[in-house]
């Protein structure tokens, strides 16, 4: 993908743009409304890496929605804002200029032209993100942004992952999956990812974030019509296969196969 995200989107609350997979990877005249595979799940369920791998196998785009909340937390911190102060968060949201790539092989996130792909994964951002994700007007505007990003992607499909995707952002998606895993397995996976941090501390932080986030969205219970994929006893490849089986079965049933 090139440096400049295209096409740019104009939107009322804040600026945003997206980049889609490299030319040639989407069929010419791709469906005007991409097929949405909506995947929810808590931290450590593997939803981000599993969703991306599933998108790759399907030849779809991938939208990591948590990146938007993380980028806003980064933006708030850059302005010296306490992210537990909803009014202050709303204020800096006014000039939140967000861009994200939907390309599975060329992922980046930018705020005001600054590449924040790595910075939004820093512990200081992770610690601050629940505060911004709790602000209702922010959630509404960001939800609309996600819908616009997907609608204008020019792709046959997009795998969208987050915490409220099957229930709030795309409740009518043809494929909706809740990816879960037992809490101790999720904590172990997270601490394996964050090798420089103490396992007990990682588990405590994960449980704390689950608790804070679950006051905003219930991402631990499957809504009606949502398929559960429990990865507690599955490795990564088996989890991706399980997700792809749900996609295949659901689309097959829909198409009368
Ligand atoms: O999945 P993640 O850890 O990157 O998510 C970052 C934060 O954003 C986390 O606090 C959950 C929140 N989030 C949300 O509230 N809704 C979403 N659709 C995605 C993430």
């Amino acid at each position: 993908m090139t440096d400049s995200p295209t096409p740019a989107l104009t939107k009322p609350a804040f600026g945003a743009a997206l980049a889609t997979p490299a030319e040639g990877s989407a069929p010419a005249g791709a469906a005007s409304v991409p097929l949405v595979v909506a995947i929810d799940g808590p931290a450590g369920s593997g939803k981000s890496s599993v969703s991306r791998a599933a998108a790759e196998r399907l030849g779809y785009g991938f939208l990591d929605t948590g990146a938007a909340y993380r980028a806003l937390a980064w933006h708030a911190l850059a302005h010296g804002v306490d992210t537990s102060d909803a009014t202050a968060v709303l204020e800096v949201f006014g000039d939140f200029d967000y861009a994200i790539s939907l390309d599975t092989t060329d992922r980046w996130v930018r705020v005001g032209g600054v590449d924040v792909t790595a910075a939004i994964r820093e512990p200081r951002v992770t610690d601050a993100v629940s505060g911004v994700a709790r602000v209702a007007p922010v959630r509404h505007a960001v939800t609309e942004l996600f819908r616009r990003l997907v609608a204008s992607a020019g792709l046959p499909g997009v795998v969208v992952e987050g915490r409220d995707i099957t229930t709030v952002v795309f409740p009518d998606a043809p494929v909706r999956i809740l990816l879960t895993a037992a809490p101790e397995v999720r904590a172990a996976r997270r601490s394996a990812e964050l090798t420089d941090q103490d396992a007990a501390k990682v588990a405590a932080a994960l449980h704390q974030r689950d608790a804070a986030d679950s006051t905003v969205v219930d991402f631990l219970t499957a809504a009606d019509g949502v398929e559960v994929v429990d990865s507690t006893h599955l490795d990564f490849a088996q989890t991706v296969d399980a997700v792809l089986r749900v996609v295949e079965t659901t689309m097959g049933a829909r198409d009368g196969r």
Side-chain angles (χ1 to χ4, degrees), residues 40-41 43 47 64-67 69-70 121 126 129-130 133 139 146 161-165 169 190 209 213 216-217:
D40 283 345
K47 71 181 182 315
D64 162 10
T65 60
Y69 293 102
R70 286 174 175 275
R121 306 290 158 193
T126 302
V129 71
S130 284
R139 296 198 71 84
F146 295 148
E161 71 82 357
R163 304 231 174 170
D164 58 350
I165 309 306
V169 182
R190 254 302 136 95
R209 197 145 68 90
D213 290 339
V216 182
V217 273

Side-chain angles (χ1 to χ4, degrees), residues 80-216:
V81 158
D82 171 2
T83 54
S84 64
D85 178 348
T87 309
V89 168
L90 261 182
E91 230 160 75
V92 293
F93 185 55
D95 72 342
F96 179 52
D97 175 20
Y98 181 66
I100 186 165
S101 163
L102 304 193
D103 187 337
T104 53
T105 58
D106 179 27
R107 298 183 63 208
W108 49 257
V109 178
R110 292 181 194 137
V111 175
V114 178
D115 190 312
V116 296
T117 315
I120 62 170
R121 306 290 158 193
E122 287 170 9
R124 69 186 187 96
V125 173
T126 302
D127 290 345
V129 71
S130 284
V132 311
R134 213 176 290 139
V135 183
V138 164
R139 296 198 71 84
H140 290 140
V142 168
T143 292
E144 284 305 316
L145 167 67
F146 295 148
R147 292 177 183 150
R148 278 197 303 275
L149 287 171
V150 169
S152 60
L155 294 168
V158 180
V159 177
V160 186
E161 71 82 357
R163 304 231 174 170
D164 58 350
I165 309 306
T166 66
T167 52
V168 177
V169 182
F170 290 108
D172 301 323
V175 185
R176 294 184 299 148
I177 295 169
L178 176 66
L179 193 56
T180 59
E184 57 278 14
V185 170
R186 296 196 283 112
R189 286 180 187 157
R190 254 302 136 95
S191 74
E193 273 168 30
L194 306 169
T195 46
D196 56 334
Q197 289 178 42
D198 175 66
K201 272 196 197 140
V202 171
L206 183 120
H207 292 145
Q208 201 176 24
R209 197 145 68 90
D210 274 358
D213 290 339
S214 63
T215 62
V216 182

